[in-house]
Amino acid sequence: MGVVWGASFLFMKVALDGVSFGQVAWSRTVLGALALGVIVLIMRPRVPRADGTPGPVLPRERVVWLHFLVVSLTTCVIPYLCFAWAEQYVSSSLASIYNATTPIMTALMATLVFRVERLGLSRWAGVGVGIAGVFVIIAPWQYQALTGSLAGQLACLVATLCYGFTFGYQRRFLSQRPIAPATFAFLSIGVSAVVMLVLTPWLALSPIELDWAIVGSLLALGILGTGLAYIWNINVLRAWGPTGTSTVTYVTPVVGVALGVILLGERFSWHEPVGAVLVLLGILLAQGRLRMPRRRVAATA
């Protein structure tokens, strides 16, 4: 899962050589929805009702579909467009590093917006360290105006902010509903695909230049990165729980950076890896994997 999601930034970069950023986002969403739709059609997963009888494959409440419409915008439509647009101006390696800020954004959204979590001192320190890392990566001292590179980095942060919103929103409004995991993944991507299809005249009708590398990248990005990886994520979540599953956060940028450097010859300035280390340290603190040392008070007799 970490390899596929880390490679997604390479796939986007390669695909942009022949298609527009809108076509990249459109293709991965539609292909991912088709892959997940086939899986749900074959598995027909159901969650038992209170009386033990199997529930429907798809939810029937209108409000659930409205919630998934919100989720579709913030889990796919907006972030996929932002990352694809950003990679016109920033390296795939840098985009993968920014993707690692998702847990920081999730902590902020879950705490400040949806109020489904409370952070202790160590976790707030982690959020602060992560934000400092983002500041170092952006290196605002290099810019005197809004350049393409700066705008691309900000677009990556908008994408991860959307991811953070999605996790908080799902926990607040959808996590307690009896929806099978495979169905949940299909609805998230499937409703996003419907939105993308509505936007087809504006996103997908520009000229294209295809070769095997571009076609392969789009197929891998859609079927693997946007389709099957969501099923793998659910399987890991069931086997290891949320804490174990969250370790993909550390794998994805490593894979993304390695592929960008090895296959595309991308290079870094000093501040980017330094900022990335701060972001990862912030994630460890924000997730409670590291704790700030407590002052010991000497006992008196």
Side-chain angles (χ1 to χ4, degrees), residues 99-153:
N99 186 66
T101 65
T102 297
I104 303 296
M105 299 298 189
T106 301
L108 289 172
M109 285 290 175
T111 303
L112 301 179
V113 177
F114 296 104
R115 300 185 181 277
V116 293
E117 291 183 0
R118 296 181 65 181
L119 301 183
L121 179 60
S122 290
R123 297 195 174 195
W124 273 117
V127 171
V129 172
I131 292 173
V134 170
F135 182 85
V136 173
I137 295 171
I138 293 176
W141 58 83
Q142 296 187 130
Y143 303 99
Q144 296 181 348
L146 183 62
T147 64
S149 175
L150 178 58
Q153 294 183 71

Side-chain angles (χ1 to χ4, degrees), residues 4-14 28 83 87 91-100 156 163 221 252-253 256 259 264 266:
V4 169
W5 278 343
S8 293
F9 299 94
L10 171 70
F11 296 147
M12 280 189 279
K13 197 71 168 180
V14 173
R28 70 177 297 186
F83 269 125
E87 287 207 33
S91 68
S92 65
S93 304
L94 188 56
S96 70
I97 290 174
Y98 274 115
N99 186 66
C156 291
Y163 289 152
L221 189 61
T252 300
L259 292 176
L264 300 179
E266 296 175 346

Side-chain angles (χ1 to χ4, degrees), residues 12-179:
M12 280 189 279
K13 197 71 168 180
V14 173
L16 285 169
D17 286 338
V19 299
S20 68
F21 78 92
Q23 290 167 334
V24 170
W26 187 96
S27 298
R28 70 177 297 186
T29 307
V30 173
L31 289 171
L34 289 173
L36 289 170
V38 170
I39 292 172
V40 170
L41 186 63
I42 294 173
M43 295 175 55
R44 299 192 64 79
R46 300 173 185 267
V47 175
R49 297 189 178 97
D51 60 2
T53 60
V57 176
L58 299 177
R60 295 173 180 173
E61 301 92 338
R62 183 179 300 177
V63 67
V64 174
W65 289 90
L66 291 175
H67 284 317
F68 273 107
L69 177 59
V70 175
V71 168
S72 74
L73 295 174
T74 58
T75 199
C76 288
V77 177
I78 297 174
Y80 287 179
L81 286 169
C82 283
F83 269 125
W85 183 85
E87 287 207 33
Q88 298 175 113
Y89 306 101
V90 303
S91 68
S92 65
S93 304
L94 188 56
S96 70
I97 290 174
Y98 274 115
N99 186 66
T101 65
T102 297
I104 303 296
M105 299 298 189
T106 301
L108 289 172
M109 285 290 175
T111 303
L112 301 179
V113 177
F114 296 104
R115 300 185 181 277
V116 293
E117 291 183 0
R118 296 181 65 181
L119 301 183
L121 179 60
S122 290
R123 297 195 174 195
W124 273 117
V127 171
V129 172
I131 292 173
V134 170
F135 182 85
V136 173
I137 295 171
I138 293 176
W141 58 83
Q142 296 187 130
Y143 303 99
Q144 296 181 348
L146 183 62
T147 64
S149 175
L150 178 58
Q153 294 183 71
L154 295 177
C156 291
L157 289 175
V158 171
T160 58
L161 184 65
C162 287
Y163 289 152
F165 177 93
T166 298
F167 288 124
Y169 190 92
Q170 287 176 343
R171 183 167 178 180
R172 179 72 179 272
F173 298 109
L174 289 171
S175 62
Q176 303 303 318
R177 296 184 179 274
I179 304 173

